[in-house]
């Protein structure tokens, strides 16, 4: 028959392994959420930069038209 201390040790090892795997899964989920948020922020930043660029070009065109007069 297996000694109680051996069973306790095996149980502790199994618990640690299961907890480690669970932690890794949770970290992977968090990583995906953060990645998605960062991608959304990047797209929004890019959109704002393009919008700002168009505004600047429009203002420059207006200035050039005024200078041509």
């Amino acid at each position: 028959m297996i000694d109680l201390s051996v069973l306790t040790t095996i149980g502790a090892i199994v618990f640690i392994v299961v907890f480690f795997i669970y932690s890794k899964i949770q970290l992977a989920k968090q990583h995906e959420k953060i990645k998605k948020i960062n991608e959304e922020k990047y797209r929004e930043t890019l959109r704002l930069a393009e919008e700002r660029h168009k505004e600047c070009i429009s203002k420059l065109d207006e200035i050039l038209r005024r200078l041509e007069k």
Side-chain angles (χ1 to χ4, degrees):
M1 191 161 161
I2 298 177
D3 189 15
L4 184 60
S5 63
V6 173
L7 288 176
T8 304
T9 304
I10 292 171
I13 291 170
V14 169
F15 175 78
I16 291 169
V17 169
V18 169
F19 182 74
F20 177 76
I21 292 170
Y22 175 79
S23 297
K24 285 290 191 178
I25 291 169
Q26 291 303 106
L27 284 174
K29 287 179 181 179
Q30 288 177 355
H31 175 75
E32 286 300 314
K33 286 179 185 177
I34 291 169
K35 183 178 175 183
K36 189 174 184 178
I37 290 169
N38 286 340
E39 287 173 353
E40 289 173 5
K41 286 181 179 180
Y42 174 77
R43 283 192 295 271
E44 180 64 15
T45 301
L46 188 61
R47 185 190 67 76
L48 291 173
E50 289 173 348
E51 186 178 298
R52 180 77 175 141
H53 175 75
K54 288 177 184 176
E55 290 173 4
C56 290
I57 294 297
S58 175
K59 288 179 182 179
L60 286 173
D61 285 343
E62 184 180 328
I63 291 169
L64 284 173
R65 273 187 257 119
R66 287 182 185 173
L67 289 174
E68 289 175 349
K69 288 182 180 180

